Amino acid sequence: MSAQLSQNMLLAVPLAPLVGAVVAGLFGKQVGRRGAHTVTILGVLVSFILSAITLYSVAMEGARFNQTIYEWMVLGGLKMEVGFLVDGLSAMMMVVVTFVSLMVHIYTIGYMEEDPGYQRFFSYISLFTFSMLMLVMSNNMLQLFFGWEAVGLVSYLLIGFWYTKPTAIFANMKAFLVNRVGDFGFILGIGLLVAYGGSLNYTETFAKAGELAQIKFPTPLWGGDWMMLTVACICLFIGAMGKSAQFPLHVWLPDSMEGPTPISALIHAATMVTAGIFMVARFSPLFELSDTALNFVLVIGAITALFMGFLGIIQNDIKRVVAYSTLSQLGYMTVALGASAYSVAVFHLMTHAFFKALLFLAAGSVIIGMHHDQDIRNMGGLRKYMRITWITSLLGSLALIGTPFFSGFYSKDSIILAVQASQLPGASFAYAAVVAGVFVTAFYSFRMYFLVFHGKENFRHKPFPGEHDHHDDHDHVHVPHESPAVVTVPLLLLAIPSVVIGGLSLYPMLAGDFFKDAIHINTALHAGIDNVLEHVHHGAVAMGMHAFVTLPFWLAVAGVATAYVFYMVAPQIPATLARVLRPLVVVLENKYFMDWFNEHVLAAGARALGRGFWKVGDQAIIDGVMINGSAQAIGSFAGLIRRVQTGHLYWYALAMILGVVGLMTWQLWPYLGPQFQALLG
């Protein structure tokens, strides 16, 4: 083990942002705006530098760390601990989280400059960085769950950051409730593993994977038995479906765009939504033992990758286009997980973090330049006004659609290759979905790009928000402007890895031993990753050159060309298609009616069930029968007793005489003669 991976150094990685969050949050008024952003940026910078040192030690020197830092409690032999596991997977995630967070912190200085909640915002994003680091560095399921819930909590706070805005409050509550559904499955999966494995520690649990795979549940539903490990893995993945916004638990992420743009880049593009992908990769020793769980992951990812991409086509809010792009790309990562290509999924996670954070921050720069108008139909021709934003947006878009030699190409094409060779039952559908998704991604990405940066300057014909609709030719026109350096510098810094990081890390991450002890693949399921390795071994340049004769490349070209024709050459075509295909457009505009179903079926059903429990269970049975009913019965019985207790002596004497006669008759009845009995009878 390298001496560089000391416990104190690793402790400083999450604690440095936490210190910044505490100072900015509790002492924001005392330190002021400059003090708040200085202390939080310094904390994240320290965390990034230490993470980079850690990654170097892991990659170049083979350093590893897996130790308990603090033992919190022991219950019946079950140890609840705080500990760190640092290997290739966690070291890569540490660098991605801290680098993107650092860029977002710097960017926020310009974006939130006039916001009254400036210090609070810096506190939240720094606290989020701490929470995410605790998640990815954990060596046990208790700490994993802590980080899992902490990032969810901070996400809730950030989505509803503008708490006087009704749509923001609705969005953060929606995110909170949907994630509760996923987290319920997640905690069930952890509970099953702990109950049968007897440990919260990753290493100890994974060592018992073979034994856990032999445990079965009898079920009366479909006959036969269920594998406990299958149930546990599906439950864990349900947690990932909520956190990583997979269908049908994806509905919260587009609405989360109600929060400030910097958090869209930090939480909903590069870090928090990838927590589910990271978790499944970390639990690869267990998922590999269940074909059923892997097939479930594969199909859910394929549905998300394709059908969420369709929704991006009809969006006019610049942030929502990028949000649906995020959903689709998370689907690609999930498909790779289902195909047992865990290293490919994590590779795409890394490349996507850079170019998607770039696209979100570039969208924010456009919003600043457009005086906070987010409708792409009101833009156009911004290329000559916002040169840096334009070129960085172009680079990010090219990476997103998988242009050869850009970062996104290497990871996205590797996913397609892995799925193509998979032997799982759902692989054919998944392959068709990810290939079709290439055209869809290229189309909606460059639809946005062309409408924003090229074509007619629509902002000269429509007032910006807050202006009067009636203005004549002599009115002053607000011309868009480039954003300040604190906004554009992070764009330039993110553009660099968006272009080069894929080719540089292709071989070590996919063909090398970078993930050798972090990701485990069953040899029987190697077909997908082997197909990837055949191309990777030829090198990044050869893989890029080969792409020009592949179907995905020409589908991407077709998507870009179609977007250009539709929105630059003949804009009447999409309008005509929208009229002809109106029923389909309605379905897309209503987001497959998922929100309607959730509100009018699930939520209404839950409310009706709750109302039934309240009216029937609580009011009628508990209050009406058990509480009020028992009181009424006692009252009625007391009323009868009151009639007997008259207080008159002669009545008590008569009652006593009648009682004595009754007792004597009952005792003497068997001895009376038959005649007397017959007479009385």
Side-chain angles (χ1 to χ4, degrees), residues 254-569:
D255 288 350
S256 70
M257 298 301 108
E258 292 293 337
T261 298
I263 66 134
S264 299
L266 178 62
I267 294 181
H268 307 122
T271 50
M272 190 192 86
V273 291
T274 60
I277 309 300
F278 165 80
M279 183 271 294
V280 175
R282 175 62 77 196
F283 281 78
S284 59
L286 305 183
F287 277 86
E288 280 299 282
L289 299 177
S290 174
D291 285 0
T292 303
L294 287 174
N295 201 63
F296 180 73
V297 173
L298 184 72
V299 172
I300 292 295
I303 293 172
T304 307
L306 180 60
F307 289 95
M308 295 305 106
F310 286 145
L311 295 181
I313 294 174
I314 58 135
Q315 300 300 316
N316 294 313
D317 184 310
I318 188 171
K319 287 172 63 176
R320 286 182 181 264
V321 176
V322 186
Y324 280 106
S325 166
T326 300
L327 283 171
S328 182
Q329 296 307 304
L330 289 167
Y332 273 86
M333 298 176 210
T334 304
V335 166
L337 294 173
S340 293
Y342 303 97
S343 57
V344 176
V346 175
F347 182 44
H348 193 51
L349 181 160
M350 179 194 68
T351 60
H352 173 266
F354 295 118
F355 63 72
K356 187 53 61 67
L358 170 61
L359 287 172
F360 263 120
L361 296 186
S365 179
V366 169
I367 293 169
I368 294 173
M370 289 294 296
H371 304 275
H372 295 279
D373 185 358
Q374 299 182 193
D375 194 328
I376 60 177
R377 295 170 296 184
N378 298 338
M379 300 178 189
L382 297 186
R383 177 171 59 94
K384 65 180 180 180
Y385 301 104
M386 308 179 71
R387 306 291 288 186
I388 297 176
T389 303
W390 160 63
I391 192 64
T392 53
S393 295
L394 177 60
L395 294 175
S397 298
L398 290 172
L400 171 61
I401 69 172
T403 306
F405 303 108
F406 282 73
S407 294
F409 157 73
Y410 294 105
S411 54
K412 181 181 278 189
D413 270 38
S414 295
I415 292 173
I416 295 173
L417 291 170
V419 179
Q420 184 180 25
S422 175
Q423 304 298 316
L424 291 174
S428 298
F429 165 69
Y431 178 70
V434 295
V435 170
V438 173
F439 174 85
V440 175
T441 302
F443 179 77
Y444 68 66
S445 297
F446 274 82
R447 168 183 176 264
M448 179 181 73
Y449 170 76
F450 289 134
L451 286 176
V452 172
F453 295 104
H454 295 271
K456 187 172 69 172
E457 297 178 359
N458 292 309
F459 56 86
R460 291 189 178 274
H461 306 280
K462 295 183 180 180
F464 287 126
E467 292 186 287
H468 296 295
D469 290 338
H470 52 279
H471 60 281
D472 54 35
D473 294 337
H474 300 289
D475 285 342
H476 174 68
V477 176
H478 287 293
V479 178
H481 56 83
E482 185 59 276
S483 301
V486 289
V487 172
T488 56
V489 169
L491 295 182
L492 293 170
L493 293 176
L494 283 166
I496 296 171
S498 297
V499 176
V500 305
I501 196 68
L504 294 177
S505 58
L506 174 69
Y507 188 87
M509 290 190 71
L510 299 189
D513 58 359
F514 187 75
F515 295 125
K516 63 178 179 180
D517 51 358
I519 290 173
H520 302 270
I521 302 178
N522 187 344
T523 53
L525 299 172
H526 262 184
I529 192 65
D530 284 346
N531 193 34
V532 176
L533 294 179
E534 289 181 13
H535 293 77
V536 172
H537 280 299
H538 291 93
V541 175
M543 187 174 177
M545 295 300 296
H546 175 71
F548 292 105
V549 296
T550 62
L551 178 61
F553 171 76
W554 290 106
L555 284 174
V557 171
V560 174
T562 304
Y564 182 78
V565 171
F566 277 21
Y567 297 99
M568 294 290 101
V569 179

Side-chain angles (χ1 to χ4, degrees), residues 125-137:
I125 58 176
S126 197
L127 181 62
F128 171 83
T129 307
F130 158 76
S131 303
M132 193 67 192
L133 287 169
M134 289 295 286
L135 188 157
V136 301
M137 294 175 68

